[in-house]
Structures are given as C-alpha cells and as structure tokens.
Amino acid sequence: VLYGEKIARIRDKELKFLIQTNGLLLNADAAIFIKKHKIDLGISLDGPKEIHDCNRIFADGAGSYNRIVKNINLLKKLDVKFGVLSVISNWKHINRIFSFFADNKFDTIKFNFLFPQGRCVLQEQEISEEAAANEFMKILDKMIKLYKTQGLKIKESNLGFILENLISPHSKNRYMCLNSPCGAMF
C-alpha cells in the first residue's frame, strides 16, 4: 500500500485499495492502517452464528463466527468503515440473514450466491434462478420499507453492479465477480 501510494503520487494517479477478508487475522494495528489509508474493507460474514458456522469453519471443525464478530466489534470501536459479504448457500435462510444484518445496523451488505464450483459442486442447489431472483427482490422490498419506516439505509452492493452491467455491458468498470469466467484474472 505504501509503495503504491508513493508511485501514485509520483505519477499523479488516483489509486484505490480494496480488501475482502474473512476477518480472522484483523487486529488494532491492521484496522488503524486500513482507516489511515482509506482502504475499502469487506468482511465475510454469512449471517447469524448458526448459519455462518455451517460453512466457515476452522480445520478442527470449530466455527469462526465468534472470532469474526470480535474483530468486527474492534473495527466499529475504531470507527473503521467496512461492509459485509454474505455467501448465500441455503435460500431458506435469506430473510433471516437479511434481518440479522438489519438488526445489527450493517449499512453495506453484499449477497453473493453460492456457485457450484470447487467443493460446492457437491452441494445441491435448492432453488431455481427464477426463484432466487424473486427472493432477492423481496429483500430489496424490505430494504426500501426499512428506509421508509425507520430511515435505515442499507446498501446491497451487487444490485448496483448488476444494474451497471445491464446498462453498460461493455464498460471497462464492470464488476469483476459478475464476469464469466471470473473477472479477477482479466
């Protein structure tokens, strides 16, 4: 980051850093560095403990929820801005996951849907694409209702990316995770 900032100053360029992490190794020093250097931060959190700990486990089988929430609370204490990314692996829980995020005042969330790749190839998808889209629209309706009734602003990041990709399919600013194949390599 320091080297990148130095080169950006020399070349009069704007540079932005983004980190997506499971949050397990965060500490006060890292959090302060992230805040000082205005690094966009995303923490992977799949919802309440019993949902999160189904997929995000340590080698010994223990869930990672408690450690991640401890580090999220550290970020909040240090006033470090961040968003949460939730991988939806079971559609039966999406409303509960959204309510968990709303109740905990997470204002920037991203729902990523489980792709049948890697170990997930073995996991049977429980919902059709059309039904998934309908469930997603229900969540967006809830977001609007929360804003109208409580003034709670929750941004679901993928919605903006999806709309931008639909409107400008050949834009250079396309969101990489929505490219097929994965845009991270381009």
Side-chain angles (χ1 to χ4, degrees):
V1 169
L2 298 176
Y3 176 75
E5 289 174 341
K6 177 183 174 185
I7 297 301
R9 278 191 303 276
I10 291 169
R11 297 186 180 169
D12 196 29
K13 299 286 183 181
E14 185 177 327
L15 185 62
K16 186 171 189 165
F17 291 97
L18 302 97
I19 297 173
Q20 181 64 44
T21 177
N22 61 19
L24 293 173
L25 299 179
L26 284 174
N27 58 37
D29 290 339
I32 291 166
F33 185 89
I34 288 165
K35 182 177 179 178
K36 179 181 178 184
H37 295 275
K38 299 176 182 163
I39 299 170
D40 284 353
L41 178 63
I43 304 290
S44 297
L45 180 66
D46 291 344
K49 181 177 177 53
E50 57 278 4
I51 294 172
H52 176 88
D53 282 349
C54 284
N55 291 323
R56 298 193 186 262
I57 56 176
F58 294 109
D60 66 0
S64 60
Y65 177 87
N66 290 339
R67 192 150 140 205
I68 293 169
V69 168
K70 176 183 164 223
N71 289 340
I72 284 173
N73 289 333
L74 172 68
L75 293 171
K76 288 179 177 181
K77 179 181 173 186
L78 295 172
D79 195 32
V80 177
K81 304 290 184 222
F82 65 95
V84 291
L85 179 146
S86 178
V87 175
I88 306 299
S89 59
N90 186 330
W91 281 93
K92 295 175 190 171
H93 302 300
I94 192 166
N95 288 305
R96 192 161 154 229
I97 294 167
F98 176 77
S99 294
F100 170 80
F101 290 143
D103 292 346
N104 286 283
K105 306 288 189 257
F106 290 113
D107 60 359
T108 303
I109 61 175
K110 184 186 294 185
F111 288 130
N112 279 0
F113 310 113
L114 185 68
F115 291 110
Q117 297 173 338
R119 289 183 296 168
C120 295
V121 169
L122 303 176
Q123 189 165 343
E124 188 174 321
Q125 299 301 309
E126 301 175 4
I127 192 167
S128 70
E129 289 178 3
E130 183 177 344
N134 287 333
E135 289 300 314
F136 193 60
M137 293 308 295
K138 289 178 191 175
I139 295 297
L140 295 176
D141 287 340
K142 288 181 180 186
M143 292 166 66
I144 292 167
K145 183 178 180 184
L146 282 171
Y147 176 70
K148 287 181 177 179
T149 61
Q150 299 176 26
L152 184 60
K153 293 180 182 179
I154 300 175
K155 174 185 173 187
E156 200 295 321
S157 300
N158 276 332
L159 177 63
F161 298 136
I162 290 167
L163 291 173
E164 183 177 342
N165 285 351
L166 288 171
I167 294 168
S168 304
H170 303 293
S171 169
K172 292 180 182 177
N173 296 323
R174 290 176 53 94
Y175 179 56
M176 294 295 106
C177 289
L178 295 179
N179 282 346
S180 180
C182 175
M185 66 182 140
F186 295 106

